[in-house]
Amino acid sequence: MSEFGKSGIVKRNVERADAKAVERLGRSGVATVHEAQGRTGLMKPYMRPVWPGAAVSGTAVTVLAHPGDNWMLHVAAEMIKPGDVVVVAVTTDNDDGMFGDLLATSFRARGGLGLVIDAGARDARTLAEMKFPVWSKAIHAKGTVKATVGSVNVPIVCAGMLVHPGDAIVADDDGVVVVPRERALAVADAAEAREKNEEAKRARLAAGELGLDLYAMRDPLAKAGLKYID
Amino acid sequence: MSEFGKSGIVKRNVERADAKAVERLGRSGVATVHEAQGRTGLMKPYMRPVWPGAAVSGTAVTVLAHPGDNWMLHVAAEMIKPGDVVVVAVTTDNDDGMFGDLLATSFRARGGLGLVIDAGARDARTLAEMKFPVWSKAIHAKGTVKATVGSVNVPIVCAGMLVHPGDAIVADDDGVVVVPRERALAVADAAEAREKNEEAKRARLAAGELGLDLYAMRDPLAKAGLKYID
Amino acid sequence: MSEFGKSGIVKRNVERADAKAVERLGRSGVATVHEAQGRTGLMKPYMRPVWPGAAVSGTAVTVLAHPGDNWMLHVAAEMIKPGDVVVVAVTTDNDDGMFGDLLATSFRARGGLGLVIDAGARDARTLAEMKFPVWSKAIHAKGTVKATVGSVNVPIVCAGMLVHPGDAIVADDDGVVVVPRERALAVADAAEAREKNEEAKRARLAAGELGLDLYAMRDPLAKAGLKYID
Amino acid sequence: MSEFGKSGIVKRNVERADAKAVERLGRSGVATVHEAQGRTGLMKPYMRPVWPGAAVSGTAVTVLAHPGDNWMLHVAAEMIKPGDVVVVAVTTDNDDGMFGDLLATSFRARGGLGLVIDAGARDARTLAEMKFPVWSKAIHAKGTVKATVGSVNVPIVCAGMLVHPGDAIVADDDGVVVVPRERALAVADAAEAREKNEEAKRARLAAGELGLDLYAMRDPLAKAGLKYID
Amino acid sequence: MSEFGKSGIVKRNVERADAKAVERLGRSGVATVHEAQGRTGLMKPYMRPVWPGAAVSGTAVTVLAHPGDNWMLHVAAEMIKPGDVVVVAVTTDNDDGMFGDLLATSFRARGGLGLVIDAGARDARTLAEMKFPVWSKAIHAKGTVKATVGSVNVPIVCAGMLVHPGDAIVADDDGVVVVPRERALAVADAAEAREKNEEAKRARLAAGELGLDLYAMRDPLAKAGLKYID
Amino acid sequence: MSEFGKSGIVKRNVERADAKAVERLGRSGVATVHEAQGRTGLMKPYMRPVWPGAAVSGTAVTVLAHPGDNWMLHVAAEMIKPGDVVVVAVTTDNDDGMFGDLLATSFRARGGLGLVIDAGARDARTLAEMKFPVWSKAIHAKGTVKATVGSVNVPIVCAGMLVHPGDAIVADDDGVVVVPRERALAVADAAEAREKNEEAKRARLAAGELGLDLYAMRDPLAKAGLKYID
């Protein structure tokens, strides 16, 4: 943990979450994965997909950037391995457009699957046409400088959530969730179990059965003091 | 009004706005209905449809929930009658994902037409596929507990607007408007009159006539001191 | 500059940016134009298109309005010439729906190409169907009065950016950028040069070449103290 | 309730909460009163005193104003009776400085004790010197017009809370709480009982006893699954 | 105006607003000056004094800075003449602490009277002890780099308002107002006339006379449709 | 790190930062400590002291709470050792008043020195009178339930910053900074060195020397392209 928040470091070798588990997490989706790991791991809800329908799961290459400066995203490109998602934190709140279609082209050429950035992105239309998935705090054309070094592959806090390099990242229309590398397999299992369980419930609810009965809530509600009046 | 803001109550019998009037209000749409009732009834503009093109009109089943707790939405499901829209207020600002595809399935099975929630929703993609219309303050996967009782069918303030159970709710791409139950018919009439009136104006404006002339504004503008310079 | 911020004035004769240059700026798009003029001219990122895919370039008719009052938008309609985009500032923060389909019909009939408003717009669905491009701070059905005079074609600050009547306005999915009238041609040239340059870079990045090498960043990064660790 | 949200009405005769109960509520303070009435009645926390240490309790004269227009505050002045607090809602979000030292002078001369406004106030320094207590959403010098009629003494929603004319208003450093007129006495009783109860608890906590023991929480915590580790 | 928004320029010679007029504007205060110049010139209300009671009037040295970079504030120090207030805009939203007690010491040594910054300030306590007046968007300890050149003494937009070098700046508890250099004398006259006028009104209002009568509002209110009910 | 974000755990034994180092950090203050550890460790600037002049340094007892639920603060009280500051994160954004004068009394009785909470606090006036220092996101009287278990002394993200139990916490008018436990001594040394260095600079700046000369910036500015014009 000693590299948390430090500028000036690029870590080359990163152990990544199991690729198969990451793929399975992606199939389960953000809401299910979040529940399956005990309602943890979600980034703040201001993180939204740049284009609707974007969805990705991958392993994190982390970036710590400075406000108005996207230098480290170029450094990160070299660290990308196939299956990675780049996750960018900034040392202070910033909405500048640190990422656009050129970097997307570069990341994809290196095997990068997507981007999660606690700042702005631009070239929104081209990113949609390329189907390169991006979650950001803002869409903003504001250009950036390349003047101050940050870090790549150090632990970061992105949109309120701790991310270590190599963690599993799942993102879709519901937001972004982080699964610690070493828990990826267990959470994938739990998520699939949850999905199976939900399928049965969905059928019963669709048939008109009430959650009150399905989840046996009437008794606890009465004990908690709920009164029905006419 | 004595039940305003009170927790622990479920009111079973609610007089609802006239179904035919509610349907007519839906055809007029939010902006027209808001104007037709004297520019009142609008919720705050942060209430946005979860998927573009969503539109609904119905009668309100109201819910008062606590932050991070969606227990009362399950209680509300039982109170839904065909044609209802569930309207959820929280006792404090909260963005958690209190509503997803399972509750949507349940609400629909009971005849519920949609949801308006001053909090978060999740399973955004599935809600869009189901074409279940939802207006919310946020899209957020954050899961909730079932621990504290609120109320169903008490008067609430949702996104800045007072809602009584049984009021007419109209929602579309322009937001959400509330029409008090007893005014639904009169407002439906006024809205349709307004629409007819607008149709004629639209044609004249499309032909190049100026609003300045159509609405006879030149004189009042001059009296108000407007000066033209070159 | 003496008319900046003044209410009660309509300026009839406005010199406009060169039409051909404005069209070329539109083809380059917001992000490129912003970079091409030295990273200036962008409005704040809260200005978003009312419907996805909206894009426009035109010359500014400026409006200074008062909160909750859209009177000056009717006055502006008369000042529109073919190729214009109306740009609206308000004397204080306000989200009301100052603009809807009737005004869009009128503006289009006069040759207006679009609207940029630091306030709200409504009739979102109809605007999308009409393909009338609008960038706004909010979508809000809230109706407005016609009671207080503002100005048309005075310099304004809209969403943080200074706009003079006749300036070139370019807007797309990435936001809104303003190009001063007298710089339109030079910026159009610079933008096209930049695009050509980017095309070559895109090909090299797509082939897997790193930005680190393409932009010769390795040396400056090392000098700035960046360390690689394993 | 039929006057909720309506413009153009001034209600002269308003039944007010019991003066003695209102005074007692003021002595209990916002946090205690809020708890004593079942954790209801609080306005949103963005309502802050213009000067630190401000505190007031009184009966509500309600005002519905339009954005950027303080005409109705002058109308309200005539409706003030000794012991009143003026509570202002606006038909849409607005931060303009609708209230300053002249209106404070006028309100005080009529017996008004303070102001709660879901908009801006100005002359902050003079208000502090006058010791006229004001809670507002903003401090903003922005001047307003007098052009559009709203209402006085109709039910309003102010900062998210429903207020009827004559309700008890309690405000201090912790914010603003509304007590429905007819509940003022009962809530005053409950608040004082709560205070007495808290006094005893404070002494025990100050002596080092833990809330865990004082409130017998250890058992429920264990049942809820809390685990202690070393 | 051609230098608006341009980086890389320091303008040495700036014509300043008349010193005597600036002093008189300061005595009138922000709210009065804003009204006296036709309700224009106010910065957004998020600009707050770092310590209560701060008040200043002076002539603007303008700074255009980049996010997270306070290099230009050091450049500005050399441009300060006695009676100046430094006004800082950033090319994008940024809250970093660009200014602290060392810069305050330097500015004061050069004759600088205060700072207005659309970003963050730090050393809040020391600034208060020094009685160096600062208005900022945030108090934030975040340190900044010195890497990218901006400009000094070019026109800027600060907190939504256009500022030219040499303009009069008045700031107090009510916020910040800008008076164009060439209007300083006329506005000082108008402000003092307004104050005199207000003094008389204050006395009449304090004596219980209503604004309704003092400003002859009863007739216009009735014409606007206001109804009194019992 | 495996306990990050987990609910249901209380860790009893926590190694704390060196008490003497923590005291020295407090004397240096937030801005200096932040710089001294390489511009890291700051919480977001929305964390503000509940009363002006509050300042504290201590060792962290961390709390993970659920929205609207302050149960874990009572659990935390038992874990406090003299010299501790309690630091509270919530699993989602929440402004409720989780902390007031009773908990402050309890914490102080256990040796607790202060509170940092990414939520609301109440009893603002009493906290000021007690001189119990609190930094919070909001002042809000909203009461909370005691229904869902979180954790005590697990790693948390509070206001955007990672905090481990036992870390050094320094808070004053400039905000809140976290120093990792094992770095406390080194940072205290660096902070004091920095202060000494600043003292000398302050004297030179006070004498009118420019930062441009003191920091030898003229050359780098010229190289970066800065031009002086008249």
Side-chain angles (χ1 to χ4, degrees):
Chain A
M1 209 57 211
S2 62
E3 291 139 8
F4 177 83
K6 261 200 195 159
S7 282
I9 299 168
V10 184
K11 195 167 159 53
R12 280 204 192 89
N13 300 325
V14 165
E15 204 171 338
R16 275 140 170 107
D18 175 74
K20 183 68 194 153
V22 171
E23 193 207 321
R24 290 167 58 205
L25 289 166
R27 279 201 299 268
S28 290
V30 169
T32 299
V33 167
H34 157 70
E35 291 281 350
Q37 71 172 333
R39 287 186 193 144
T40 66
L42 275 181
M43 291 190 186
K44 301 229 177 238
Y46 62 70
M47 295 298 284
R48 298 298 304 148
V50 166
W51 46 274
V56 82
S57 68
T59 40
V61 167
T62 62
V63 178
L64 181 66
H66 292 277
D69 191 316
N70 77 342
W71 214 6
M72 285 303 111
L73 276 80
H74 291 277
V75 176
E78 192 178 26
M79 297 298 120
I80 293 175
K81 295 194 176 168
D84 282 344
V85 169
V86 179
V87 182
V88 184
V90 190
T91 55
T92 192
D93 287 355
N94 181 251
D95 285 343
D96 290 0
M98 294 195 182
F99 183 88
D101 68 337
L102 286 187
L103 271 169
T105 300
S106 175
F107 281 17
R108 178 168 279 173
R110 310 291 297 186
L113 301 182
L115 179 86
V116 171
I117 183 165
D118 196 358
R122 64 184 192 181
D123 303 326
R125 162 145 298 224
T126 311
L127 292 176
E129 287 165 0
M130 292 174 65
K131 294 213 169 298
F132 190 88
V134 175
W135 286 255
S136 71
K137 193 165 101 181
I139 295 173
H140 195 8
K142 179 66 169 60
T144 49
V145 298
K146 286 145 188 60
T148 309
V149 293
S151 286
V152 174
N153 282 335
V154 300
I156 56 172
V157 170
C158 177
M161 186 47 50
L162 181 65
V163 188
H164 288 83
D167 281 351
I169 303 294
V170 183
D172 60 24
D173 285 320
D174 281 352
V176 184
V177 68
V178 183
V179 180
R181 179 179 55 77
E182 61 277 16
R183 299 184 59 199
L185 196 62
V187 174
D189 289 344
E192 286 167 6
R194 190 181 160 88
E195 281 182 287
K196 239 167 259 163
N197 182 21
E198 287 210 340
E199 218 35 71
K201 284 180 191 160
R202 188 174 289 108
R204 290 169 66 180
L205 293 167
E209 190 173 343
L210 286 164
L212 291 178
D213 300 312
L214 183 60
Y215 305 110
M217 290 171 170
R218 292 188 192 273
D219 227 48
L221 282 164
K223 272 183 196 143
L226 192 68
K227 299 279 177 252
Y228 286 79
I229 62 175
D230 289 325
Chain B
M1 209 58 211
S2 63
E3 291 141 6
F4 178 84
K6 260 199 194 161
S7 283
I9 299 169
V10 184
K11 195 167 160 53
R12 280 205 193 87
N13 301 326
V14 166
E15 205 171 337
R16 274 140 171 108
D18 176 72
K20 184 68 194 154
V22 171
E23 194 208 321
R24 290 167 57 205
L25 289 167
R27 279 200 299 266
S28 290
V30 169
T32 299
V33 167
H34 157 70
E35 291 281 350
Q37 70 172 334
R39 286 188 194 140
T40 66
L42 274 182
M43 292 190 186
K44 300 228 177 240
Y46 63 70
M47 297 296 285
R48 299 299 304 147
V50 166
W51 44 274
V56 81
S57 68
T59 41
V61 167
T62 63
V63 177
L64 182 65
H66 292 277
D69 191 316
N70 77 342
W71 214 5
M72 284 304 110
L73 275 80
H74 291 276
V75 175
E78 192 178 25
M79 297 299 120
I80 293 174
K81 294 194 177 169
D84 282 343
V85 168
V86 179
V87 182
V88 184
V90 189
T91 55
T92 193
D93 287 354
N94 182 251
D95 285 343
D96 290 0
M98 294 195 180
F99 183 89
D101 68 336
L102 285 186
L103 271 168
T105 300
S106 175
F107 281 17
R108 178 168 278 173
R110 310 293 295 186
L113 302 182
L115 178 86
V116 171
I117 184 165
D118 196 358
R122 65 184 192 183
D123 302 327
R125 163 144 296 223
T126 313
L127 293 175
E129 287 165 1
M130 292 173 64
K131 295 213 168 296
F132 190 88
V134 175
W135 286 255
S136 71
K137 193 165 101 180
I139 296 174
H140 195 8
K142 179 67 168 61
T144 49
V145 298
K146 288 146 186 59
T148 309
V149 293
S151 286
V152 175
N153 282 334
V154 300
I156 56 172
V157 170
C158 177
M161 186 45 50
L162 182 64
V163 188
H164 288 83
D167 282 350
I169 304 293
V170 184
D172 60 23
D173 285 319
D174 281 353
V176 184
V177 68
V178 182
V179 180
R181 180 181 53 76
E182 60 279 14
R183 300 185 59 200
L185 197 60
V187 174
D189 289 345
E192 287 166 6
R194 189 181 160 88
E195 282 181 287
K196 240 167 258 165
N197 183 22
E198 287 210 340
E199 217 36 69
K201 284 180 192 162
R202 188 175 289 107
R204 289 170 66 182
L205 293 168
E209 190 173 343
L210 285 166
L212 290 179
D213 300 312
L214 183 60
Y215 305 109
M217 290 170 169
R218 292 188 192 273
D219 227 48
L221 282 164
K223 273 185 195 140
L226 191 68
K227 299 277 177 256
Y228 287 78
I229 62 177
D230 288 327
Chain C
M1 209 59 212
S2 64
E3 291 140 7
F4 177 83
K6 261 200 195 159
S7 283
I9 299 168
V10 183
K11 195 165 159 55
R12 280 204 193 89
N13 300 326
V14 166
E15 204 172 338
R16 276 144 170 103
D18 175 72
K20 183 67 194 155
V22 170
E23 195 208 319
R24 290 166 58 204
L25 289 166
R27 279 200 299 267
S28 290
V30 169
T32 299
V33 167
H34 157 69
E35 291 281 350
Q37 72 173 331
R39 286 186 195 144
T40 67
L42 275 182
M43 292 191 184
K44 301 229 177 237
Y46 62 70
M47 297 296 285
R48 297 298 306 146
V50 166
W51 45 273
V56 81
S57 67
T59 40
V61 168
T62 62
V63 178
L64 181 65
H66 291 277
D69 191 318
N70 78 342
W71 215 5
M72 283 305 110
L73 276 81
H74 291 277
V75 175
E78 192 178 25
M79 296 300 120
I80 292 174
K81 295 196 175 166
D84 282 345
V85 168
V86 179
V87 182
V88 183
V90 190
T91 55
T92 192
D93 287 355
N94 182 251
D95 286 342
D96 290 0
M98 294 196 180
F99 184 88
D101 67 338
L102 285 186
L103 271 168
T105 299
S106 175
F107 281 18
R108 177 168 280 174
R110 309 293 295 186
L113 301 182
L115 179 86
V116 171
I117 183 165
D118 196 359
R122 65 184 191 181
D123 303 326
R125 162 145 296 224
T126 312
L127 292 175
E129 287 165 1
M130 292 174 66
K131 295 215 169 293
F132 190 88
V134 175
W135 286 255
S136 71
K137 192 165 103 179
I139 295 173
H140 196 8
K142 180 64 170 60
T144 50
V145 299
K146 286 144 188 62
T148 309
V149 293
S151 286
V152 174
N153 281 336
V154 300
I156 57 173
V157 170
C158 178
M161 187 45 50
L162 181 65
V163 188
H164 288 83
D167 282 351
I169 304 294
V170 183
D172 59 24
D173 285 321
D174 280 351
V176 184
V177 68
V178 183
V179 180
R181 180 180 55 77
E182 61 278 14
R183 300 185 58 199
L185 197 60
V187 174
D189 288 346
E192 287 167 6
R194 189 180 162 87
E195 282 181 286
K196 238 166 261 164
N197 182 21
E198 288 210 339
E199 217 36 69
K201 285 179 191 161
R202 189 174 289 108
R204 289 169 66 181
L205 293 167
E209 190 174 343
L210 286 166
L212 290 179
D213 300 312
L214 183 58
Y215 305 110
M217 290 170 170
R218 292 189 192 272
D219 227 47
L221 282 164
K223 273 183 197 144
L226 191 68
K227 300 274 177 258
Y228 286 78
I229 61 175
D230 289 325
Chain D
M1 208 59 213
S2 63
E3 291 140 6
F4 177 83
K6 261 199 195 159
S7 283
I9 299 168
V10 183
K11 195 165 158 56
R12 280 204 193 88
N13 301 325
V14 165
E15 204 171 338
R16 276 145 169 103
D18 176 73
K20 183 69 194 153
V22 170
E23 193 207 321
R24 289 167 58 206
L25 289 166
R27 280 200 299 265
S28 290
V30 169
T32 299
V33 168
H34 157 70
E35 290 281 350
Q37 71 173 332
R39 286 186 194 143
T40 67
L42 275 182
M43 292 191 186
K44 300 230 178 236
Y46 62 70
M47 296 297 285
R48 298 300 304 148
V50 165
W51 45 273
V56 82
S57 68
T59 42
V61 168
T62 62
V63 178
L64 182 65
H66 291 277
D69 191 317
N70 77 342
W71 215 5
M72 284 304 111
L73 275 81
H74 290 277
V75 176
E78 192 177 27
M79 297 299 120
I80 292 173
K81 295 194 177 169
D84 282 344
V85 169
V86 179
V87 183
V88 184
V90 190
T91 55
T92 193
D93 287 355
N94 181 251
D95 285 343
D96 290 0
M98 296 196 180
F99 183 89
D101 68 337
L102 285 187
L103 271 168
T105 300
S106 176
F107 281 18
R108 178 168 278 174
R110 310 293 295 186
L113 302 181
L115 178 86
V116 172
I117 183 165
D118 196 358
R122 66 183 190 182
D123 302 327
R125 162 144 296 222
T126 313
L127 293 175
E129 287 165 0
M130 292 173 66
K131 294 212 168 297
F132 190 88
V134 175
W135 287 256
S136 71
K137 193 164 101 181
I139 295 173
H140 196 8
K142 180 66 170 60
T144 51
V145 299
K146 286 145 187 60
T148 309
V149 294
S151 286
V152 174
N153 282 335
V154 300
I156 56 172
V157 170
C158 177
M161 187 45 50
L162 182 65
V163 188
H164 288 83
D167 281 351
I169 303 294
V170 183
D172 60 23
D173 285 319
D174 280 352
V176 184
V177 69
V178 183
V179 180
R181 178 180 55 77
E182 61 278 13
R183 299 184 60 199
L185 197 60
V187 174
D189 289 346
E192 288 167 4
R194 189 180 161 89
E195 283 182 285
K196 238 166 258 163
N197 183 20
E198 287 210 339
E199 218 35 71
K201 284 181 191 160
R202 188 175 289 108
R204 289 170 65 182
L205 293 168
E209 190 172 343
L210 286 166
L212 291 179
D213 300 311
L214 182 60
Y215 305 110
M217 290 170 170
R218 293 189 191 272
D219 227 46
L221 282 165
K223 273 185 195 143
L226 191 67
K227 299 276 176 257
Y228 287 78
I229 61 176
D230 287 326
Chain E
M1 209 60 209
S2 62
E3 291 141 7
F4 177 83
K6 260 200 197 158
S7 282
I9 299 168
V10 183
K11 196 168 159 53
R12 281 204 193 89
N13 300 327
V14 165
E15 203 171 339
R16 275 140 169 108
D18 176 73
K20 182 71 193 154
V22 170
E23 193 207 321
R24 289 167 57 206
L25 289 166
R27 279 200 300 266
S28 290
V30 169
T32 299
V33 167
H34 157 69
E35 291 281 350
Q37 71 173 331
R39 286 186 194 143
T40 65
L42 275 181
M43 292 191 185
K44 300 229 177 241
Y46 62 70
M47 297 296 286
R48 299 299 304 148
V50 166
W51 45 274
V56 83
S57 68
T59 41
V61 167
T62 63
V63 177
L64 181 65
H66 291 277
D69 191 317
N70 76 342
W71 215 6
M72 284 305 109
L73 276 81
H74 290 277
V75 176
E78 192 178 25
M79 297 299 119
I80 292 174
K81 295 194 176 167
D84 282 344
V85 169
V86 179
V87 182
V88 184
V90 189
T91 56
T92 192
D93 287 355
N94 181 252
D95 285 342
D96 290 359
M98 295 194 181
F99 183 89
D101 66 337
L102 285 187
L103 272 167
T105 300
S106 175
F107 282 16
R108 177 167 280 173
R110 310 293 294 187
L113 302 182
L115 179 86
V116 171
I117 184 164
D118 196 358
R122 65 184 192 183
D123 302 327
R125 162 144 295 224
T126 312
L127 293 175
E129 288 165 0
M130 291 174 66
K131 294 214 169 297
F132 191 88
V134 175
W135 286 255
S136 71
K137 193 165 103 181
I139 295 173
H140 195 8
K142 180 65 169 62
T144 50
V145 298
K146 285 145 188 61
T148 310
V149 294
S151 286
V152 174
N153 283 335
V154 300
I156 56 173
V157 170
C158 177
M161 186 46 50
L162 182 64
V163 188
H164 288 84
D167 282 351
I169 304 294
V170 183
D172 59 24
D173 284 321
D174 281 352
V176 184
V177 68
V178 182
V179 180
R181 179 180 55 77
E182 60 278 14
R183 299 185 59 199
L185 196 62
V187 174
D189 289 345
E192 286 167 5
R194 190 181 161 87
E195 282 181 287
K196 238 168 258 165
N197 182 21
E198 287 210 341
E199 217 36 71
K201 284 180 191 161
R202 188 175 289 106
R204 288 169 66 181
L205 293 167
E209 190 173 342
L210 286 166
L212 290 179
D213 300 311
L214 183 59
Y215 305 110
M217 291 171 170
R218 291 188 192 274
D219 228 47
L221 282 164
K223 272 183 197 145
L226 191 68
K227 299 278 176 253
Y228 287 78
I229 63 176
D230 289 328
Chain F
M1 209 61 210
S2 63
E3 291 140 7
F4 178 83
K6 260 199 195 160
S7 283
I9 297 168
V10 183
K11 195 166 159 54
R12 280 202 194 91
N13 300 326
V14 165
E15 204 172 337
R16 278 145 169 102
D18 176 73
K20 183 69 194 154
V22 171
E23 195 207 321
R24 289 167 58 205
L25 289 166
R27 279 200 299 265
S28 290
V30 169
T32 299
V33 167
H34 157 70
E35 291 281 351
Q37 71 173 332
R39 287 188 193 141
T40 66
L42 274 182
M43 293 192 185
K44 300 228 178 239
Y46 62 71
M47 296 297 285
R48 298 298 305 146
V50 166
W51 46 274
V56 83
S57 67
T59 41
V61 167
T62 63
V63 178
L64 181 66
H66 292 277
D69 191 317
N70 77 342
W71 215 6
M72 283 305 109
L73 276 80
H74 291 277
V75 175
E78 193 178 25
M79 297 299 120
I80 293 174
K81 294 194 177 167
D84 282 344
V85 168
V86 179
V87 182
V88 183
V90 190
T91 56
T92 192
D93 286 356
N94 182 251
D95 285 342
D96 290 0
M98 294 195 181
F99 184 89
D101 66 336
L102 286 187
L103 271 169
T105 300
S106 175
F107 281 18
R108 178 167 278 174
R110 311 292 296 187
L113 301 182
L115 179 85
V116 171
I117 184 166
D118 196 359
R122 65 184 191 182
D123 303 327
R125 161 145 298 225
T126 312
L127 293 175
E129 289 165 359
M130 292 173 65
K131 294 213 168 297
F132 190 88
V134 175
W135 286 255
S136 71
K137 192 165 102 181
I139 295 172
H140 195 9
K142 179 66 169 62
T144 49
V145 299
K146 285 145 188 62
T148 309
V149 294
S151 286
V152 173
N153 281 335
V154 300
I156 56 172
V157 170
C158 178
M161 186 45 51
L162 182 65
V163 188
H164 288 83
D167 281 351
I169 304 294
V170 183
D172 59 25
D173 285 320
D174 281 351
V176 184
V177 69
V178 182
V179 180
R181 179 180 55 78
E182 61 277 16
R183 299 184 60 199
L185 197 60
V187 174
D189 288 346
E192 287 167 4
R194 189 181 161 88
E195 282 182 287
K196 239 167 258 164
N197 183 20
E198 287 210 340
E199 217 36 70
K201 284 180 191 161
R202 188 174 290 107
R204 289 170 65 181
L205 293 167
E209 189 172 345
L210 286 167
L212 290 179
D213 299 312
L214 183 58
Y215 305 111
M217 289 171 171
R218 293 190 191 271
D219 225 46
L221 283 164
K223 273 183 196 143
L226 191 68
K227 300 276 177 255
Y228 287 78
I229 61 176
D230 288 327

